Amino acid sequence: MTWKRLWLISAVMTILLGAFHSAGTEMLKKTAGKAEEETFQEGQEENRPLAALTFDDGPSAEYTPRLLDGLKERNIKASFFLLGRNIPGNEEIVERMQEEGHLIGNHTYNHVQLSAISEAEAREEILKTNNIIYEITGNYPQYMRPPFGSWKKNLELCVEMIPVFWNIDTMDWKSQDVSSILNIVFAEAEDGAIILMHDEYETSVEAALQIADHLMKEGYEFVTADRLIVP
């Protein structure tokens, strides 16, 4: 083999090795860039403000299914604090709540002010509703929303439940006005917001879905209430 052929082969090998090196470097840059982008996106998701939509006094045969439809369309999990007296006849709605991943909590049986009755009566109000929910879902509720936000001191020691309060009261039951509800939430919304609503009014369902759409556009993630009260 002549020196010219050797020189030509050497030159070709140099060009090929250079091309492989360049392609490899470019691939590494793209891989590193993609990894950095994914890490940035994950960090953004972790830093998103959180909010919880919570609904008392249900289930409502007329309005709760409409609300569940809207939440499902938006892939939102909410928290429902049920009145025991409203469950009979609406068992399928409670089953759907569980199947779709919502938090199911207790709101007493008769919507009583727990601090105004004896400990035995309070315990009965809570356990009666717990048992009804258990018969439907197979799970005992761990969380409860005390009516009027009135919690009897040390009651959790005898019923083993965690009370869930709120920091945004929409007053939806009183106004039954979509604009009024939206104005309250949009003025007070912040990271960690637990929004109190009721799933027994058409205006509340409409407002809740508008709240969801607006806050998600603002970067909020909706979670169940337990995510915001348990470290």
Side-chain angles (χ1 to χ4, degrees):
M1 185 178 295
T2 66
W3 68 269
K4 289 184 178 180
R5 287 185 179 180
L6 287 172
W7 177 86
L8 181 60
I9 292 171
S10 177
V12 170
M13 291 296 293
T14 300
I15 292 170
L16 289 174
L17 287 172
F20 283 131
H21 176 74
S22 178
T25 301
E26 189 63 28
M27 185 176 293
L28 285 172
K29 286 180 180 179
K30 288 181 179 179
T31 303
K34 185 176 181 181
E36 287 178 2
E37 182 180 351
E38 289 176 351
T39 301
F40 177 72
Q41 290 176 346
E42 289 174 1
Q44 280 189 317
E45 290 178 359
E46 290 175 0
N47 293 326
R48 291 172 65 184
L50 304 180
L53 286 170
T54 69
F55 301 92
D56 292 0
D57 293 357
S60 161
E62 183 173 3
Y63 298 116
T64 306
R66 297 187 197 178
L67 176 60
L68 290 171
D69 288 343
L71 295 173
K72 186 176 182 179
E73 288 174 5
R74 293 160 175 79
N75 194 29
I76 289 175
K77 311 304 180 189
S79 303
F80 292 87
F81 297 95
L82 309 182
L83 278 179
R85 69 188 184 200
N86 286 342
I87 296 176
N90 291 317
E91 290 87 353
E92 289 184 1
I93 298 176
V94 180
E95 289 177 351
R96 181 181 173 185
M97 289 175 181
Q98 183 187 41
E99 289 170 359
E100 295 181 359
H102 301 291
L103 183 147
I104 300 175
N106 188 319
H107 198 45
T108 74
Y109 191 86
N110 289 302
H111 203 274
V112 296
Q113 184 174 333
L114 295 172
S115 61
I117 59 179
S118 69
E119 186 173 288
E121 291 172 315
R123 188 172 183 273
E124 182 180 357
E125 281 281 336
I126 295 169
L127 294 183
K128 188 174 181 180
T129 299
N130 275 357
N131 289 335
I132 294 173
I133 294 173
Y134 174 78
E135 289 173 3
I136 299 169
T137 66
N139 296 310
Y140 279 105
Q142 295 180 306
Y143 302 92
M144 80 159 299
R145 167 68 55 72
F148 314 106
S150 179
W151 183 247
K152 197 175 185 68
K153 185 177 180 181
N154 296 326
L155 186 58
E156 66 272 13
L157 299 178
C158 66
V159 294
E160 296 183 353
M161 299 199 74
I162 301 171
V164 179
F165 300 99
W166 58 88
N167 46 36
I168 298 181
D169 187 350
T170 64
M171 300 296 289
D172 60 330
W173 61 273
K174 187 175 183 178
S175 70
Q176 295 188 41
D177 179 79
V178 174
S179 294
S180 175
I181 298 167
L182 296 180
N183 288 338
I184 290 172
V185 174
F186 296 161
E188 300 181 21
E190 61 181 4
D191 186 21
I194 299 178
I195 304 167
L196 170 61
M197 302 189 76
H198 301 78
D199 53 325
E200 55 180 341
Y201 307 103
E202 183 175 5
T203 49
S204 295
V205 173
E206 182 179 343
L209 298 179
Q210 289 191 39
I211 289 167
D213 290 338
H214 178 83
L215 292 186
M216 284 194 294
K217 287 180 181 178
E218 294 292 316
Y220 278 79
E221 177 186 356
F222 283 94
V223 297
T224 50
D226 56 313
R227 288 272 306 274
L228 300 181
I229 64 173
V230 177

